[in-house]
Amino acid sequence: MNICVFLSAADLDDRYTRPARDFARLLGKGGHTLVWGGSDVGLMKVVADGVEEAGGRLCGVSVEFLAAKARPGVDEMVVVKDLAERKRLLLEKADAVVIMVGGTGTLDEATEILELKKHGHTGKPVVLLNTAGFYDGLKEQFRRMEDEGFLPRPLSELVFFAEEPVGALAYLEESLGVA
């Protein structure tokens, strides 16, 4: 599988990096490809290192103004003009999406894929990896949107909330029929 991971490029503490590294190793051991923002810094680097060390492939999509932070020596690296093109290409190259901890950029990417799913423009499975309860508030907000009629489809059809890396990958493999 080509798994797009939306996540932070910030340097974070172990409560966030350890689960990200665990997921990356599972992805690599499964022979999957990481499709990510291409940066070789922060949590993006942690995940890319884990995938590569475990034998997976790396497909980066960077943007011109961040090209200096792009990871060298990957299997594939594309540098695009702007963030909108980057999101489009990341989603195009992916079979599935995992949303890890991150800031406003990650939230923007997450809401875009959910909006596409909501309107039937993609059927790709999406997992929100709720590391250390990071997305508890967002999960509650999504449930409120569902309960109050803001979502035309059940929340469970849009996103799967995983508390642990192994559950995230298992859901993706099951959704896509990969053993």
Side-chain angles (χ1 to χ4, degrees), residues 64-158:
E64 287 177 359
F65 69 88
L66 294 174
K69 294 181 180 184
R71 184 181 183 99
V74 300
D75 297 291
E76 180 183 355
M77 179 65 71
V78 180
V79 178
V80 297
K81 183 178 176 179
D82 58 32
L83 292 171
E85 186 179 0
R86 180 194 211 183
K87 278 191 297 189
R88 183 192 60 74
L89 196 54
L90 284 166
L91 293 174
E92 184 179 294
K93 290 180 172 289
D95 299 314
V97 174
V98 173
I99 302 156
M100 289 189 179
V101 297
T104 55
T106 303
L107 189 57
D108 171 63
E109 293 159 342
T111 55
E112 180 153 336
I113 186 69
L114 295 178
E115 191 68 7
L116 289 169
K117 279 195 82 168
K118 181 179 90 173
H119 292 291
H121 292 284
T122 184
K124 295 176 185 183
V126 177
V127 173
L128 198 147
L129 185 53
N130 191 26
T131 301
F134 185 81
Y135 286 117
D136 284 350
L138 184 60
K139 187 176 181 180
E140 182 63 29
Q141 184 62 48
F142 284 150
R143 286 190 176 140
R144 182 174 180 184
M145 288 175 186
E146 180 179 41
D147 292 346
E148 295 187 19
F150 289 93
L151 301 178
R153 297 174 65 184
L155 183 59
S156 62
E157 290 181 13
L158 299 177

Side-chain angles (χ1 to χ4, degrees), residues 31-68:
H32 304 300
T33 298
L34 171 68
V35 179
W36 94 118
S39 290
D40 200 30
V41 296
L43 196 60
M44 285 193 183
K45 178 179 178 13
V46 168
V47 170
D49 287 349
V51 169
E52 190 171 55
E53 289 165 8
R57 295 185 72 248
L58 301 177
C59 174
V61 181
S62 189
V63 65
E64 287 177 359
F65 69 88
L66 294 174

